[in-house]
């Protein structure tokens, strides 16, 4: 939507500057972009490139010790019951983490779930604590849960998870988040010397339509957020704003 608005504003500005021909071009591009996003073509290309290479299941061979890192996706307040719950977009991640944990235990492995996420929305409790309660309700023992409740971004998810993973000394680390979020997450985790096995908790699919659909704008916005985060990482590396890269750490082969 931001690109659409900017093109519209540019067309208006050019019109005011008596450059009506260029202004009409901007208006035409804005409408073309609006149609391309709303009808599914643009978000389909953007999301497929982000999430197409990641599986929804872990490799079959579980080592003796494994750790599953579950990244947060927000919370919402259930006003009827007066409590915080995982957001709609977190459910696939949580279910996938539960599935992986049960597979690990069925294979005879020792498995921990590291839940990472602070209170970025100022809802009064960290995401990690809300998700921990959901995992407890799914019969994962409290002794197998590790809570990282300080992080307010994906970068901090990686930064603050590293010492906890090193302390756990897992032979394999799995990273569970949304399919569109995995590429950026893996980039940030690798910066801190962590190279987990990616497992997507969901897969978004745009809706192809002859007329614009609101869902397609949501998918495009989520994908654009990821591309901006990836680009920002490389820019910050180039100008020296990121911390120095770390060597390989927990869960490495």
């Amino acid at each position: 939507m931001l690109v659409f608005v900017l093109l519209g504003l540019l067309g208006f500005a050019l019109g005011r500057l008596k450059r009506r021909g260029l202004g009409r071009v901007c208006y035409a591009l804005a409408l073309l972009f609006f149609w391309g996003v709303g009808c599914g073509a643009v978000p389909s290309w953007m999301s497929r490139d982000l999430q197409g290479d990641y599986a929804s299941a872990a490799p079959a061979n579980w080592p003796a010790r494994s750790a599953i890192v579950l990244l947060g996706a927000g919370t919402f307040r259930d006003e009827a019951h007066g409590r915080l719950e995982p957001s709609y977009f977190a459910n696939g991640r949580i279910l996938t983490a539960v599935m992986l944990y049960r597979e690990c235990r069925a294979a005879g492995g020792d498995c921990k779930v590291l839940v990472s996420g602070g209170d970025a929305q100022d809802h009064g409790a960290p995401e990690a604590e809300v998700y921990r309660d959901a995992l407890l309700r799914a019969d994962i023992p409290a002794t197998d849960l590790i809570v990282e409740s300080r992080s307010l971004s994906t970068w901090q998810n990686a930064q603050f998870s590293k010492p906890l993973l090193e302390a756990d000394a897992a032979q394999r680390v799995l990273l569970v988040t949304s399919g569109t979020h995995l590429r950026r997450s893996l980039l940030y985790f690798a910066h801190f010397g962590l190279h987990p096995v990616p497992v997507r908790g969901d897969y978004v699919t745009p809706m192809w339509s002859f007329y614009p659909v609101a869902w397609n704008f949501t998918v495009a916005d989520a994908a654009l957020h990821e591309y901006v985060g990836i680009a920002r990482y490389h820019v910050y590396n180039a100008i020296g704003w990121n911390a120095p890269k770390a060597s390989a750490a927990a869960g490495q082969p």
Side-chain angles (χ1 to χ4, degrees):
M1 286 300 293
L2 179 60
V3 175
F4 174 75
V5 171
L6 290 176
L7 285 171
L9 290 174
L10 180 58
F12 176 78
L14 288 169
R16 300 285 291 181
L17 294 172
K18 309 301 183 183
R19 305 295 297 274
R20 293 185 177 85
L22 289 176
R24 293 190 191 97
V25 171
C26 289
Y27 287 136
L29 288 174
L31 290 173
L32 181 63
F33 181 78
F34 184 85
W35 181 87
V37 172
C39 295
V42 173
S44 178
W45 168 74
M46 295 174 71
S47 60
R48 182 175 61 248
D49 191 52
L50 280 174
Q51 63 187 343
D53 295 334
Y54 303 115
S56 59
N61 55 323
W62 288 92
R65 290 180 59 82
S66 300
I68 301 164
V69 181
L70 170 61
L71 300 189
T75 59
F76 77 96
R77 183 165 297 280
D78 181 354
E79 299 294 347
H81 299 90
R83 67 186 183 191
L84 287 177
E85 296 284 354
S87 74
Y88 169 82
F89 297 100
N91 289 330
R93 305 182 188 192
I94 294 172
L95 288 172
T96 300
V98 171
M99 176 194 70
L100 293 173
Y101 175 83
R102 290 176 178 173
E103 288 180 1
C104 176
R105 296 294 294 173
D110 177 7
C111 194
K112 298 291 189 294
V113 180
L114 192 165
V115 194
S116 179
D119 187 12
Q121 298 170 289
D122 292 325
H123 283 175
E127 294 175 356
E129 294 181 3
V130 177
Y131 293 14
R132 175 200 58 199
D133 293 343
L135 294 169
L136 289 171
R137 292 195 295 270
D139 294 328
I140 296 182
T143 52
D144 285 344
L145 295 175
I146 304 171
V147 175
E148 184 288 294
S149 58
R150 294 187 297 152
S151 56
L152 301 178
S153 65
T154 306
W155 179 264
Q156 291 183 350
N157 288 148
Q159 182 181 15
F160 298 152
S161 293
K162 179 179 180 179
L164 298 175
L165 291 170
E166 288 178 335
D168 184 63
Q171 295 166 281
R172 174 188 289 165
V173 176
L174 298 95
L175 179 63
V176 178
T177 187
S178 298
T180 54
H181 188 220
L182 270 171
R183 181 188 292 186
R184 181 163 63 95
S185 300
L186 290 170
L187 188 66
Y188 292 0
F189 272 72
H191 187 92
F192 290 99
L194 301 166
H195 299 276
V197 177
V199 183
R200 55 175 170 82
D202 56 55
Y203 188 97
V204 297
T205 304
M207 297 174 59
W208 288 89
S209 171
F210 289 110
Y211 54 88
V213 176
W215 170 246
N216 291 333
F217 290 95
T218 300
V219 175
D221 182 68
L224 181 60
H225 178 77
E226 298 305 318
Y227 284 116
V228 169
I230 292 169
R232 181 178 58 219
Y233 168 82
H234 291 296
V235 170
Y236 282 11
N237 266 353
I239 61 182
W241 286 6
N242 285 337
K245 288 185 178 181
S247 57
Q252 307 310 305

